Amino acid sequence: GAKSVTGIDNKNKWIKLANKRNSYKNVQFVQGDINYIRTLQNESFDLVLLLSAMHYMCDPNDRDEDDVPMIINEILRILKPGGVFIFEGGVYKQDIQESYLKLKRSIGDTVYHITEKHLTSSIANKFSHFSLVGNSVKQGGDPIDRFVYKGVK
């Protein structure tokens, strides 16, 4: 098993629920966002999972000069050499000019779904190996198909 596991979410209610259900001594859950991730040590993680969260982290203000979400650069920084990144989330498969599909959702927020073209070019190039694992579960009301990708640093 894992020596330690850290779960991060920016919503305190999910952290409280996770801590309530957690019975493992080597697992911790913390409230945080990309600013918390920036405090983590370089090359300190063997595995990073980004589940159903990328569309929240692709705002134009949260991208680097290559239009790559800053979270990807932070994940690469904290992954050990040979470390694995698993990404699950919505990927827009249609061919459009933009790198991201901007969606205003019925709950009032705005999210940015990465396009397949941008994911498999700009982001994939940052990893030594990057591939599609397969389809993910479609969430109710979500207009974007969901997929799982794996990247190796």
Side-chain angles (χ1 to χ4, degrees):
K3 181 179 170 185
S4 67
V5 176
T6 302
I8 304 168
D9 197 293
N10 69 343
K11 300 268 193 249
N12 192 41
K13 72 176 191 175
W14 298 124
I15 297 303
K16 285 181 179 179
L17 181 62
N19 281 320
K20 183 178 177 182
R21 293 180 176 177
N22 179 33
S23 62
Y24 298 97
K25 301 268 188 251
N26 64 336
V27 176
Q28 68 169 341
F29 296 97
V30 295
Q31 184 178 2
D33 58 12
I34 191 167
N35 293 314
Y36 175 80
I37 293 168
R38 286 182 174 126
T39 69
L40 300 173
Q41 289 185 330
N42 293 350
E43 299 183 348
S44 57
F45 286 80
D46 296 304
L47 172 68
V48 173
L49 305 172
L50 184 60
L51 308 175
S52 299
M54 178 81 94
H55 56 286
Y56 295 113
M57 301 178 189
C58 292
D59 182 277
N61 297 322
D62 298 328
R63 301 181 205 156
D64 69 13
E65 62 278 353
D66 297 321
D67 208 23
V68 173
M70 302 284 202
I71 190 65
I72 297 297
N73 296 320
E74 287 301 313
I75 288 168
L76 285 162
R77 182 186 63 76
I78 65 172
L79 270 177
K80 293 178 181 177
V84 175
F85 168 56
I86 303 291
F87 158 61
E88 184 282 330
V91 176
Y92 193 64
K93 293 270 198 177
Q94 308 302 323
D95 190 19
I96 60 174
Q97 189 77 14
E98 297 82 16
S99 300
Y100 301 87
L101 176 68
K102 178 181 178 180
L103 288 178
K104 179 85 169 159
R105 300 192 311 177
S106 61
I107 59 173
D109 64 351
T110 301
V111 295
Y112 296 82
H113 286 281
I114 193 164
T115 63
E116 180 181 41
K117 182 170 68 175
H118 190 57
L119 179 67
T120 57
S121 61
S122 299
I123 292 175
N125 290 338
K126 293 185 171 273
F127 294 88
S128 66
H129 175 75
F130 194 85
S131 62
L132 172 67
V133 175
N135 293 341
S136 185
V137 176
K138 186 150 176 95
Q139 296 181 354
D142 196 345
I144 304 295
D145 290 330
R146 304 179 74 77
F147 301 91
V148 178
Y149 288 85
K150 175 184 175 183
V152 178
K153 181 176 176 183

